[in-house]
């Protein structure tokens, strides 16, 4: 952090129950004025350090500042058990937005978020509740919708009262900011099922874009593990188109 130019910094962001988030704030290469900023946060179980080599180059090339976060704070890996018992993980994101709003070097009208990992939909739920975000890259609530549809079909013939069918629209129909969903056709959630959910007239929204990476172009594995650079180039190009282009610097 200290060796890069401009230098990065370690930040602490209060959250709940005395547990604080920790992150790395990496200023835009211009080093002056207010810059569009991307929050990169790992799903439960992911550490922020991986973003320093996986995502920072893409943000820097496009003139973005970047805030890399995870949910662990200063806790050990076994803190994941406590995190997964929480039903309010999405409450972390408004705290992060409050922190960025107070920084003089952030263009707060141009803040986006990337949810990395596809382990849950907590960032999708946060986007529903956080009108200050200008763009989001996440699973769009697809996993939640897929699981609830499965339970509905599984229990429909026995006891409808226990089927966890959502009564309020998920992010796909209520997000104010543009949302990009990316997945590989060989990932956990099949591409045809994802398209079916996104194109459902009851859930669909012109603000939601689905990009499926095929085996032919690579990036088709879960989490785009076979070619993460390809997927990340696409994601940051999309963010640049939404948050505004900046002078490119390498």
């Amino acid at each position: 952090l200290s060796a890069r130019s401009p230098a990065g910094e370690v930040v602490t962001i209060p959250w709940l129950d005395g547990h604080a988030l920790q992150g790395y704030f990496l200023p835009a290469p211009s080093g002056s004025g207010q810059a569009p900023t991307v929050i990169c946060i790992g799903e439960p179980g992911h550490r922020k350090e991986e973003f320093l080599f996986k995502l920072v180059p893409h943000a820097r090339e496009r003139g973005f500042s970047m805030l890399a976060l995870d949910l662990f704070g200063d806790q050990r890996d076994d803190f994941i058990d406590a995190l997964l018992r929480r039903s309010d993980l999405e409450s972390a994101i408004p705290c992060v937005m409050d922190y960025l709003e107070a920084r003089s070097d952030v263009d707060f009208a141009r803040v986006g978020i990337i949810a990395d990992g596809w382990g849950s939909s907590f960032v999708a739920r946060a986007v529903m509740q956080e009108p200050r975000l200008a763009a989001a890259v996440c699973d769009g609530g697809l996993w939640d919708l897929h699981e609830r549809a499965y339970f509905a079909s599984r229990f429909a013939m026995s006891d409808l009262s226990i089927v966890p069918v959502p009564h309020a629209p998920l992010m796909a129909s209520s997000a104010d900011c543009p949302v990009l969903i990316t997945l590989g056709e060989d990932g956990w959630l099949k591409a045809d099922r994802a398209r079916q959910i996104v194109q459902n007239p009851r859930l669909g929204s012109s603000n939601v874009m689905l990009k499926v990476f095929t085996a032919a172009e690579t990036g088709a594995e879960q989490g785009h593990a076979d070619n993460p650079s390809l997927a990340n180039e696409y994601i940051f190009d999309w963010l640049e188109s939404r948050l505004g282009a900046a002078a490119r610097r390498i």
Side-chain angles (χ1 to χ4, degrees):
L1 293 177
S2 60
R4 75 188 303 273
S5 179
E9 59 186 282
V10 178
V11 302
T12 300
I13 301 173
W15 186 19
L16 296 174
D17 303 331
H19 177 68
L21 303 173
Q22 290 187 339
Y24 305 124
F25 185 84
L26 306 172
S30 63
S32 61
Q34 295 182 327
T37 301
V38 178
I39 303 164
C40 300
I41 186 164
E43 297 282 357
H46 285 243
R47 290 283 186 177
K48 60 188 176 298
E49 282 72 21
E50 65 187 270
F51 302 141
L52 296 181
F53 65 87
K54 189 165 76 172
L55 298 181
V56 166
H58 301 288
R60 183 178 179 85
E61 181 182 0
R62 291 160 179 81
F64 293 157
S65 295
M66 195 180 98
L67 176 61
L69 294 163
D70 57 42
L71 297 176
F72 282 103
D74 59 1
Q75 301 292 327
R76 304 183 313 176
D77 285 355
D78 55 9
F79 187 63
I80 184 66
D81 295 330
L83 285 173
L84 293 178
R85 286 195 295 269
R86 298 197 69 109
S87 60
D88 60 348
L89 294 179
E90 62 270 22
S91 65
I93 305 305
C95 298
V96 175
M97 294 296 286
D98 289 344
Y99 167 79
L100 290 177
E101 190 172 21
R103 290 191 66 108
S104 61
D105 54 356
V106 170
D107 183 345
F108 197 65
R110 295 191 290 167
V111 175
I113 188 168
I114 297 176
D116 190 72
W118 263 72
S120 76
S121 293
F122 87 92
V123 171
R125 295 192 297 272
V127 173
M128 285 179 61
Q129 305 166 16
E130 183 46 80
R132 296 175 292 178
L133 284 165
V137 182
C138 59
D139 87 333
L142 283 183
W143 197 255
D144 277 352
L145 287 167
H146 176 68
E147 287 187 333
R148 292 175 184 187
Y150 166 77
F151 283 119
S153 63
R154 176 69 176 81
F155 296 111
M157 301 304 294
S158 55
D159 184 2
L160 287 175
S161 67
I162 64 174
V163 178
V165 177
H167 297 289
L170 286 179
M171 193 188 67
S173 60
S174 61
D176 292 327
C177 73
V179 175
L180 172 65
I181 304 169
T182 71
L183 73 157
E185 67 175 2
D186 296 330
W188 297 338
L189 184 59
K190 296 306 179 184
D192 287 346
R193 176 59 179 150
R195 291 189 185 98
Q196 183 183 49
I197 295 173
V198 171
Q199 294 169 2
N200 186 321
R202 186 172 63 85
L203 298 172
S205 168
S206 59
N207 274 348
V208 177
M209 176 180 175
L210 174 65
K211 165 61 178 175
V212 177
F213 288 87
T214 65
E217 64 184 322
T218 69
E221 298 297 327
Q222 177 63 29
H224 313 296
D226 53 328
N227 195 342
S229 293
L230 176 70
N232 290 330
E233 282 288 336
Y234 186 95
I235 286 169
F236 275 87
D237 282 348
W238 182 86
L239 284 169
E240 187 176 32
S241 72
R242 267 57 182 183
L243 302 181
R248 291 210 170 202
R249 298 166 180 256
I250 304 298

